[in-house]
Amino acid sequence: EAQVTQNPRYLITVTGKKLTVTCSQNMNHEYMSWYRQDPGLGLRQIYYSMNVEVTDKGDVPEGYKVSRKEKRNFPLILESPSPNQTSLYFCASSLNGNSPLHFGNGTRLTVT
Amino acid sequence: GEDVEQSLFLSVREGDSSVINCTYTDSSSTYLYWYKQEPGAGLQLLTYIFSNMDMKQDQRLTVLLNKKDKHLSLRIADTQTGDSAIYFCAERRDSSASKIIFGSGTRLSIRP
């Protein structure tokens, strides 16, 4: 089944403890992106990647890192999480930069 | 989502038509999308329209685009309880490579 898989679905952590949220797609998509969803703000783009080894900042990149060492994976790294990064995170992919996005089921992160 | 605006809530009676409205600001938008988010799930692409089209119909869904007023609407005919969800309008901007801007989402609730 074609899908975007994120792990974990839920994560509670403490301020400053490094964490990684994984994202994998099995559709051979070139384009991948991370969003955060907050009430009343819709989805805001954190980082995106047009292809392997190519990543760019979105609208809210501060406090996040990403990597794209292989086509299928696009992990989101929080080196030192803070409470304002408590949010619902979505990974998405598309065939290329002009195609509709396919979304994962989300990761709900709580930073205390 | 400040450049793509939607009302936050809409309540309709089961069997009636739902109309969800969206306004955007960038005249260089190439594609406009409607996504549906059910509780606990990621965003699912419902339909999309290219900017040189005025209307697109797909079964119970009708998308209308008024490019002059930068207004997009989604009409759901014969609304059912399974249509309860948050609906996101999104635009893809030609002026900014591979950037999709989301609205804040409209929560559609169905009353009997």
Side-chain angles (χ1 to χ4, degrees), chain B residues 29-77:
Chain B
S29 295
T30 53
Y31 287 93
L32 294 123
Y33 304 94
W34 284 105
Y35 283 86
K36 176 183 181 183
Q37 183 183 31
E38 297 184 18
L43 278 71
Q44 172 193 4
L45 179 68
L46 269 184
T47 185
Y48 64 95
I49 189 168
F50 191 53
S51 58
N52 68 355
M53 297 169 65
D54 298 323
M55 185 184 89
K56 182 178 179 182
Q57 187 156 5
D58 183 5
Q59 299 182 332
R60 292 191 298 123
L61 305 178
T62 303
V63 178
L64 294 177
L65 175 61
N66 182 328
K67 199 170 181 183
K68 174 175 164 288
D69 294 338
K70 300 189 183 67
H71 182 267
L72 182 74
S73 68
L74 173 69
R75 178 176 179 269
I76 305 172

Side-chain angles (χ1 to χ4, degrees), chain A residues 41-107:
Chain A
L41 296 177
L43 275 78
R44 294 179 292 168
Q45 189 178 46
I46 302 170
Y47 269 95
Y48 65 96
S49 169
M50 295 289 286
N51 214 324
V52 176
E53 301 291 2
V54 179
T55 62
D56 283 291
K57 294 178 180 179
D59 295 316
V60 288
E62 294 77 20
Y64 304 95
K65 283 173 54 178
V66 292
S67 70
R68 189 89 183 275
K69 293 188 173 65
E70 47 191 344
K71 202 170 189 179
R72 62 183 294 126
N73 295 323
F74 191 46
L76 179 70
I77 302 151
L78 284 73
E79 294 271 4
S80 182
S82 61
N84 65 11
Q85 293 178 298
T86 292
S87 187
L88 179 58
Y89 291 87
F90 287 102
C91 181
S93 71
S94 63
L95 186 62
N96 54 49
N98 292 315
S99 306
L101 289 168
H102 297 257
F103 281 83
N105 284 331
T107 296

Side-chain angles (χ1 to χ4, degrees), chain A residues 9 31 37 59 97 99 101, chain B residues 35 37 40 42 88 92 98-99:
Chain A
R9 289 295 309 275
Y31 180 90
Q37 182 181 11
D59 295 316
S99 306
L101 289 168
Chain B
Y35 283 86
Q37 183 183 31
F88 289 91
R92 181 183 291 282
S98 307
K99 194 170 183 67

Side-chain angles (χ1 to χ4, degrees), chain B residues 3-56:
Chain B
D3 294 336
V4 179
E5 294 191 355
Q6 308 175 234
S7 54
L8 290 180
F9 300 100
L10 177 66
S11 175
V12 299
R13 195 184 305 276
E14 187 175 2
D16 288 352
S17 292
S18 306
V19 179
I20 304 171
N21 294 302
C22 170
T23 56
Y24 60 99
T25 57
D26 196 321
S27 57
S28 73
S29 295
T30 53
Y31 287 93
L32 294 123
Y33 304 94
W34 284 105
Y35 283 86
K36 176 183 181 183
Q37 183 183 31
E38 297 184 18
L43 278 71
Q44 172 193 4
L45 179 68
L46 269 184
T47 185
Y48 64 95
I49 189 168
F50 191 53
S51 58
N52 68 355
M53 297 169 65
D54 298 323
M55 185 184 89
K56 182 178 179 182

